Amino acid sequence: MAEESVTSLDVADGTATVSLHGEIDILTVEQVRVVLGEAVAADPRLIVVEMAEVAFIDSTGLGALISGFQRARDKGIPFRLARPSANVRQILVLSGLLEVVELTP
């Protein structure tokens, strides 16, 4: 059984948009790591992680986001999280991630 894809990447006009959906956890986090790496490698002017469709994110998913943020920061690429649901936003707040990563409206 193939695992369901939880990520997609679209690069246009200097912005790499990583769309995440479903549950970001130990079973799917490798996809997130890979796509964030691809986004950084595309050398865009901005990386936006679209989170409107994320139902749940666990500590491994948060770790992947932090890692992606650090890789982008090391290359001088702004990294933003976009439109998390209320419950996912609460996880992001509690994790402290929003103290370092900007949330785009």
Side-chain angles (χ1 to χ4, degrees), residues 73-85:
R73 184 187 60 197
D74 290 348
K75 289 186 73 176
I77 303 166
F79 186 96
R80 310 263 187 281
L81 301 178
R83 302 185 312 159
S85 65

Side-chain angles (χ1 to χ4, degrees), residues 3-7 20 27-38:
E3 59 188 68
E4 185 185 344
S5 175
V6 297
T7 65
L20 304 181
L27 299 174
T28 57
V29 71
E30 191 56 34
Q31 293 177 49
V32 177
R33 286 195 186 104
V34 168
V35 79
L36 288 173
E38 290 170 356

Side-chain angles (χ1 to χ4, degrees), residues 33-96:
R33 286 195 186 104
V34 168
V35 79
L36 288 173
E38 290 170 356
V40 172
D43 205 23
R45 287 193 301 273
L46 172 67
I47 295 173
V48 175
V49 180
E50 177 56 65
M51 301 189 71
E53 301 285 314
V54 176
F56 172 77
I57 187 166
D58 74 0
S59 60
T60 61
L62 292 169
L65 288 176
I66 291 166
S67 171
F69 164 73
Q70 290 170 331
R71 286 156 74 182
R73 184 187 60 197
D74 290 348
K75 289 186 73 176
I77 303 166
F79 186 96
R80 310 263 187 281
L81 301 178
R83 302 185 312 159
S85 65
N87 61 338
V88 170
R89 185 187 177 109
Q90 187 168 12
I91 294 167
L92 296 173
V93 169
L94 292 173
S95 72

